[in-house]
């Protein structure tokens, strides 16, 4: 709710029906340039849903309804919570005024920045700057309510926020599906390991019982012949015991071999389980890095950006391997935060002889383990160890894995 638009298709079509003059332009977008900033109840109702969904966190929405005396404000579903706040936005009463104050207070920095703009082009330029950095909530509120914003700019801004919500939603749904599949796989492996352990315990008990019985048979077979009656029945009994002892020993050896096989299988399952847990933790860490980057759940966007900039400013990273189209996105991510990204394709077209020089110019070397050759990896590690340059394997060639790895890097000196 904090960073996604919740408008339906009809609302989008109402705002983006044409590239020229719309059939109907609300009065608030035809006001003179010197008018004060718009209030939320003055805006078109089709904008209320996206403003509440993008510019207000769930915690703030619940606090707002709590101040207005709504009894189940802290327990109602997120969908109902969103609907009630959207309903408040269109009513010019105490609830809407409290919502206006809350939005102005939360996005005060962006409002002050946008107040310096005097024309629609200046507002558009500021909006593009914030959009490129992924700082959406405050800029959306400040731009939509700016007195210089015209109807065409509203259409453009609204459409960009709407499509961004789709992209974020698709990414989150894919991550959730992967995590749920991992949970199901881990549960299945736990059941298999428990069954194997139970089988091993049963075999061990059976082995101990057979061993005790074998020792008893051996003791009985070792009784001196002089102590028994030297008749045919006694000799036959001894031979029978010896044959039984031989069979039981063979059975015990077979059980020992089977027990060893099951123990090895259990160890492999345990290693697989630890590997799956590691992959799941890596996926969760990458998802947390992306959510932190987008400033989800009401984080201070400006503070987060300054922290990222301080971490990456003046830092030089070397990325070896990966996919060529993805490397361009990684470079823009680093450069927007003041860093620099060098790249090498791992020997596909770039010469291996360039690696030593690139490593010497880098503060940290990264390579996606799933998308780089063994030859490049071995050579890269030798150069890093020789020059004392830290290197970090990245789980995959995705932006999420890269963001998580870079954000774990120590801040640049």
């Amino acid at each position: 709710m904090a960073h996604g638009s919740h408008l339906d298709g009809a609302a989008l079509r109402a705002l983006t029906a044409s590239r020229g003059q719309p059939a109907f332009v609300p009065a608030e977008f035809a006001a003179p340039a010197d008018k004060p900033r718009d209030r939320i109840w003055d805006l078109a109702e089709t904008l209320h849903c996206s403003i509440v969904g993008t510019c207000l966190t769930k915690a703030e929405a619940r606090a707002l309804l709590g101040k207005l005396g709504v009894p189940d404000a802290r327990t109602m579903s997120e969908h109902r919570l969103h609907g009630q706040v959207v309903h408040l936005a269109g009513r010019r009463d105490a609830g809407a005024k409290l919502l206006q104050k809350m939005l102005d207070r939360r996005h005060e920095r962006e409002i002050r920045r946008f107040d310096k703009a005097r024309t629609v082009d200046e507002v558009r330029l500021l909006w593009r700057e914030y959009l490129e950095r992924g700082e959406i909530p405050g800029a959306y509120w400040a731009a939509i309510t700016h007195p210089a914003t015209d109807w065409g700019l509203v259409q453009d801004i609204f459409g960009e926020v709407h499509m961004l919500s789709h992209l974020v939603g698709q990414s989150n749904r894919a991550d959730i599906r992967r995590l749920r599949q991992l949970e199901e796989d881990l549960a299945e492996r736990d059941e298999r390991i428990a069954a194997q352990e139970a089988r091993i315990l049963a075999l061990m008990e059976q082995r101990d019982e057979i061993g005790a019985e074998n020792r008893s048979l051996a003791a009985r077979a070792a009784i001196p012949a002089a102590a028994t009656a030297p008749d045919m029945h006694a000799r036959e009994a001894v031979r029978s015991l010896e044959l039984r002892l031989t069979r039981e020993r063979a059975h015990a050896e077979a059980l020992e071999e089977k027990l060893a096989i099951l123990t090895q299988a259990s160890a492999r399952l345990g290693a697989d389980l630890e590997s799956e847990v590691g992959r799941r933790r890596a996926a969760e860490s990458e998802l947390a890095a992306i959510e932190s980057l987008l400033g989800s759940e009401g984080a201070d966007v400006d503070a987060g950006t300054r922290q990222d900039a301080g971490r990456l400013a003046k830092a030089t990273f070397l990325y070896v391997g990966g996919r060529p189209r993805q490397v361009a996105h990684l470079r823009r991510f680093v450069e927007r935060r003041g860093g620099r990204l060098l790249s090498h394709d791992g020997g596909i077209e770039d010469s291996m002889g360039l690696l030593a020089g690139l490593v010497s110019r880098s503060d940290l070397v990264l390579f996606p383990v799933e998308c780089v050759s063994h030859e490049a990896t071995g050579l890269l590690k030798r150069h890093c160890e020789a020059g004392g340059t830290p290197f970090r394997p990245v789980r995959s060639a995705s932006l999420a894995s890269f963001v998580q790895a870079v954000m774990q890097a120590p801040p640049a000196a």
Side-chain angles (χ1 to χ4, degrees), residues 33-49:
D34 58 350
K35 77 179 185 70
R37 289 178 54 248
D38 290 317
R39 304 298 182 180
I40 193 167
W41 55 82
D42 296 326
L43 299 175
E45 292 183 359
T46 49
L47 292 172
H48 292 166
C49 180

Side-chain angles (χ1 to χ4, degrees), residues 90 216 275 318:
S216 176
S275 178
L318 172 60

Side-chain angles (χ1 to χ4, degrees), residues 14 31 48 73 98 114 146 184 194-195 198 200 216 219 241 287 308 315 332 334:
H48 292 166
L98 186 58
F114 273 80
H146 194 282
E184 293 175 1
I200 290 172
S216 176
L241 288 173
L287 179 59
D308 291 347
R332 284 198 296 272
V334 173

